[in-house]
Amino acid sequence: DAKTTQPNSMESNEEEPVHLPCNHSTISGTDYIHWYRQLPSQGPEYVIHGLTSNVNNRMASLAIAEDRKSSTLILHRATLRDAAVYYCILRTNTGNQFYFGTGTSLTVIP
Amino acid sequence: DTGVSQNPRHKITKRGQNVTFRCDPISEHNRLYWYRQTLGQGPEFLTYFQNEAQLEKSRLLSDRFSAERPKGSFSTLEIQRTEQGDSAMYLCASSLGGFANYGYTFGSGTRLTVV
């Protein structure tokens, strides 16, 4: 699976939108973009995934660049419970594992 | 079904002892994965099963580690002759198939401390 690049940490004020970027310049045409988050002392939790089109679910939105070399996870109103490490991962049909990297540690300021 | 269950949540053991962890996946998921996570790092792949067959093992899985998934249901991960470097969170995940369009469901992990 191709690798991704994320900032080590970000801060957001509570109830404001958060845009978490991810670069994946070596993405291939069949790679899906997955986002997971991990709260302290918990296992990673699925957030959202997509291939080409932007995606929305109850947790977040995923905006995928037209060339697919980058994507952005959007939390529309950050809450204190959103403080976590967010991982951007590429998954291919031939890959049997996720490469997590170190992710982005999001701090939400009350 | 309440998700992926891992037991125990915490384990403290003396160096040289053997430990075994259990993972109960979501019942209809045919794939089961083991990951290891050390402090400040993302999870690292150890091994995965499709039904009862262990199809891939990471080089991180030394000879002291063994995993099984009898009958394609729950799985166990055993570490023999534990070392302090084995201290980590051991995570189990399951998925329905291996296609890139499928996500994983992770358990809460077993935190191992070797003293």
Side-chain angles (χ1 to χ4, degrees):
Chain A
D1 293 308
K3 298 295 173 65
T4 62
T5 304
Q6 300 177 254
N8 287 333
S9 62
M10 291 184 65
E11 286 187 350
S12 173
N13 292 320
E14 193 177 10
E15 298 189 3
E16 289 188 356
V18 183
H19 291 235
L20 297 166
C22 180
N23 289 321
H24 27 80
S25 58
T26 59
I27 192 170
S28 72
T30 56
D31 286 346
Y32 279 78
I33 302 159
H34 288 250
W35 283 83
Y36 283 73
R37 72 179 186 181
Q38 188 172 23
L39 280 67
S41 300
Q42 297 290 323
E45 174 188 28
Y46 168 82
V47 178
I48 201 166
H49 77 284
L51 182 61
T52 57
S53 302
N54 295 343
V55 184
N56 300 296
N57 66 22
R58 63 174 181 82
M59 291 181 70
S61 296
L62 176 60
I64 301 172
E66 193 170 340
D67 63 5
R68 299 208 328 123
K69 293 184 184 299
S70 65
S71 61
T72 302
L73 180 70
I74 302 165
L75 306 179
H76 296 286
R77 287 181 70 236
T79 71
L80 297 178
R81 289 176 293 180
D82 291 323
V85 178
Y86 287 79
Y87 296 99
C88 167
I89 304 158
L90 301 183
R91 180 105 191 265
T92 68
N93 280 328
T94 56
N96 295 310
Q97 52 181 284
F98 281 149
Y99 290 100
F100 277 83
T102 53
T104 297
S105 178
L106 175 66
T107 300
V108 179
I109 302 168
Chain B
D1 199 337
T2 57
V4 177
S5 176
Q6 291 190 248
N7 289 288
R9 287 297 309 274
H10 303 274
K11 179 71 177 179
I12 299 174
T13 191
K14 292 183 178 180
R15 189 174 50 188
Q17 298 293 305
N18 299 344
V19 294
T20 300
F21 311 138
R22 176 177 171 126
C23 172
D24 288 90
I26 292 174
S27 56
E28 61 266 29
H29 285 184
N30 60 345
R31 285 209 171 190
L32 185 148
Y33 306 81
W34 285 99
Y35 281 75
R36 182 176 73 180
Q37 185 174 25
T38 53
L39 201 61
Q41 301 298 312
E44 296 174 292
F45 171 78
L46 291 178
T47 188
Y48 91 94
F49 293 83
Q50 179 154 311
N51 301 312
E52 66 276 10
Q54 187 174 16
L55 297 185
E56 187 172 342
K57 293 193 285 187
S58 161
R59 57 183 173 79
L60 293 176
L61 212 66
S62 76
D63 292 344
R64 297 184 297 104
F65 288 69
S66 63
E68 294 182 342
R69 191 183 182 197
K71 301 178 184 178
S73 56
F74 70 92
S75 176
T76 58
L77 179 66
E78 181 184 16
I79 308 174
Q80 296 182 325
R81 305 180 303 281
T82 53
E83 302 173 355
Q84 287 189 323
D86 297 330
S87 295
M89 174 80 86
Y90 290 85
L91 293 160
C92 176
S94 67
S95 71
L96 183 62
F99 295 109
N101 196 26
Y102 294 154
Y104 287 10
T105 302
F106 280 87
S108 296
T110 294
R111 180 166 296 284
L112 173 67
T113 302
V114 181
V115 297

